[in-house]
Amino acid sequence: RIGRAQEEAAAAARRSRVLSPVLLATTLDEEEVRLLNSLARQHGGKVVTKWSSAVTHLVSTTRCSSNGAAAGQRLCGRTIKYMSAVLSGQWVVASSWLRASSAAAGWVAEEEHEVHGDNSSISAVSGLGAGGPRRGRLHLEGGGPRLFDGLHFHLHGPFNKPSRKDLLSLLREGGGTAAADKWPDSRGAAADPLVLYGDLPDDELEPLQSRCAESGLGPPAHANWVFESISRHECLPRPGVAEVPSQESEVY
């Protein structure tokens, strides 16, 4: 009896605790998408094409991992879907999870397939991913606040990649508040609003910095501050406090 109980416990540990997953794909190829749909039909689950808070698993290819990554690192593209999943504490798994589930005839435990990070935030020293998916998942599972909880943002100027709409969606999913119309006022605010800019011409950056200073606000930040913070599931220091992320950071 003890041996059977141990076997059953070990088998349960190898299975996913999510009985009816809501599955979303990002950057999967056609064969992987077919496998995803087939597994959902066989083992239960729903495949969706748009991100929402109902999603339980984001499944991504990791074949695009950078040459600078350390061996064994599961890294994916930094898509809007990916950042939304990190902010929401959803499982972000490599497509290897699909193949393992197919071989096991059921959804397997996710830990061995969890993505370590994205290609845009690999450590130049260690080659490791930034760890945002796991950190965000555990933080929110433990009842922690959302990444941008209590923060207010003002969007200044044009935004192209991602769009203003997508950026607003990420900030709000992260618990922040954001506006793009009225210039922010720091008076009476619990924390100074952070002015974000995107595709701003170089000759307009200095006037923006001066306007922030005249308004009693801190220096403005490029939108990559948001993306790099999400990649780590950790708010980076504000501009003017420490080094800010390079504007070469990439969003797919």
Side-chain angles (χ1 to χ4, degrees):
R1 291 182 180 179
I2 295 178
R4 183 179 180 83
Q6 290 175 334
E7 289 178 1
E8 291 177 350
R14 292 191 295 268
R15 293 194 296 267
S16 172
R17 295 187 299 273
V18 183
L19 300 180
S20 186
V22 179
L23 307 150
L24 177 64
T26 183
T27 67
L28 296 184
D29 62 29
E30 292 182 5
E31 181 179 347
E32 291 168 334
V33 170
R34 284 195 296 269
L35 179 58
L36 174 65
N37 283 286
S38 175
L39 289 170
R41 289 193 298 269
Q42 293 177 48
H43 308 306
K46 179 182 180 181
V47 178
V48 296
T49 58
K50 293 183 179 180
W51 182 87
S52 75
S53 58
V55 169
T56 61
H57 294 72
L58 180 72
V59 188
S60 174
T61 185
T62 54
R63 288 193 302 273
C64 57
S65 293
S66 169
N67 292 333
Q73 287 291 286
R74 294 182 292 274
L75 304 172
C76 65
R78 188 159 66 186
T79 64
I80 298 298
K81 292 177 181 177
Y82 169 79
M83 290 190 285
S84 298
V86 171
L87 286 170
S88 300
Q90 298 162 339
W91 281 107
V92 182
V93 292
S95 55
S96 60
W97 182 67
L98 301 178
R99 295 186 289 275
S101 296
S102 179
W107 300 115
V108 299
E110 297 86 352
E111 283 82 355
E112 292 184 4
H113 306 277
E114 189 166 25
V115 168
H116 294 117
D118 57 78
N119 290 318
S120 301
S121 56
I122 304 170
S123 168
V125 177
S126 66
L128 301 179
R134 183 175 187 274
R135 190 175 296 115
R137 177 178 60 80
L138 294 178
H139 177 77
L140 292 173
E141 282 181 359
R146 292 189 177 271
L147 181 61
F148 301 130
D149 189 46
L151 299 182
H152 181 71
F153 302 90
H154 173 79
L155 274 59
H156 178 85
F159 293 84
N160 179 30
K161 194 176 182 182
S163 66
R164 178 185 295 268
K165 179 181 177 181
D166 284 338
L167 181 56
L168 283 170
S169 177
L170 290 172
L171 293 172
R172 289 165 180 165
E173 183 57 40
T177 59
D181 45 8
K182 186 179 179 181
W183 182 257
D185 187 350
S186 64
R187 291 172 295 182
D192 287 348
L194 177 58
V195 176
L196 298 173
Y197 64 92
D199 300 310
L200 197 67
D202 292 341
D203 60 355
E204 294 184 23
L205 179 55
E206 187 172 342
L208 175 61
Q209 293 170 332
S210 298
R211 186 178 184 187
C212 287
E214 292 167 359
S215 302
L217 303 172
H222 191 272
N224 284 327
W225 180 92
V226 175
F227 312 142
E228 294 291 333
S229 294
I230 294 173
S231 287
R232 294 161 176 76
H233 202 269
E234 177 183 5
C235 279
L236 296 177
R238 289 190 173 204
V241 176
E243 183 180 355
V244 297
S246 166
Q247 294 187 19
E248 299 302 318
S249 185
E250 189 170 11
V251 175
Y252 296 89

